[in-house]
Amino acid sequence: MDTADTTVRATDPLTFRTATEADVEGLVALIESAYRGDASRAGWTTEADILDGQRTDPEDVADVVGAENGRMMIVERNGELIACCQLEHRGDHAYFGMFAVRPALQGGGLGKVIIAEAERFARAEWGAKEMHMTVISAREELIAWYERRGYTRTGRMTPFPYGEERFGVPRRADLEFELLIKPLD
């Protein structure tokens, strides 16, 4: 292989590491590309049909990166950022959020590997008994994906923060978050 070739191949090994402040700009771009705007339509996790505006911003990502009780996990291939997720230690459980995979790489099994590593980390490093996450309840296909990974719908809902554009501009009036839980035994 030519050393000038920086193509990311599905067979190349993944590297997992904790994000630093220097990663914030790239993380924001990755998260936005996976969920908002026309670029997100290249993958299946897009929220472009239900939300306009931003998914996150540099301040929110910097807060996650700098959190004492958590970490932003970066996934790279050949030194290239291809995915990320937030893990937060909350007593006997961990919270999983800000999960993003580069749209062109979605649907190939990468997400399964990443969520399994996040669960392993939460169990091994923090002794977490469960993983919690919140998902927009209208995202039935995404919820079904998590259910196939062992997550259970709880029916416990949290209102979408309408009027707070830093979370996006809703295109529907019925958005809310549902708590999903998976035992980590």
Side-chain angles (χ1 to χ4, degrees):
M1 181 172 134
D2 183 350
T3 56
D5 184 4
T6 59
T7 303
V8 176
R9 295 184 319 255
T11 57
D12 291 338
L14 299 175
T15 302
F16 295 88
R17 68 176 177 84
T18 300
T20 67
E21 189 67 33
D23 297 308
V24 169
E25 184 179 320
L27 287 165
V28 171
L30 171 66
I31 294 164
E32 291 297 311
S33 75
Y35 290 96
R36 301 292 163 77
D38 286 336
S40 69
R41 294 181 193 282
W44 69 273
T45 62
T46 184
E47 294 173 343
D49 293 330
I50 60 173
L51 290 160
D52 290 323
Q54 68 181 32
R55 176 69 160 26
T56 192
D57 58 36
E59 293 77 25
D60 284 342
V61 173
D63 287 348
V64 172
V65 168
E68 288 183 31
N69 60 335
R71 74 186 284 217
M72 177 64 94
M73 184 170 69
I74 283 187
V75 184
E76 296 173 320
R77 271 202 176 118
N78 299 330
E80 217 176 305
L81 174 63
I82 62 168
C84 68
C85 67
Q86 168 194 12
L87 291 170
E88 187 178 320
H89 187 200
R90 296 182 177 177
D92 65 345
H93 72 274
Y95 178 79
F96 179 83
M98 282 197 188
F99 187 27
V101 174
R102 188 183 294 173
L105 300 177
Q106 293 176 16
L110 188 57
K112 294 175 197 174
V113 173
I114 296 165
I115 199 166
E117 173 58 17
E119 292 164 356
R120 185 209 61 78
F121 177 89
R123 187 174 45 252
E125 300 297 320
W126 297 332
K129 304 289 186 219
E130 294 178 332
M131 185 74 84
H132 291 200
M133 70 174 70
T134 56
V135 180
I136 295 174
S137 61
R139 302 287 321 278
E140 293 292 339
E141 183 180 4
L142 182 59
I143 290 171
W145 187 86
Y146 284 121
E147 287 178 312
R148 291 191 299 275
R149 313 276 92 63
Y151 287 81
T152 303
R153 297 181 84 156
T154 65
R156 297 192 329 218
M157 303 296 187
T158 306
F160 186 87
Y162 285 92
E164 294 184 44
E165 289 191 11
R166 69 186 192 106
F167 296 108
V169 179
R171 299 177 78 177
R172 301 169 45 161
D174 64 342
L175 300 181
E176 58 188 348
F177 295 101
E178 183 171 2
L179 175 65
L180 307 182
I181 297 177
K182 178 180 180 178
L184 299 178
D185 42 21

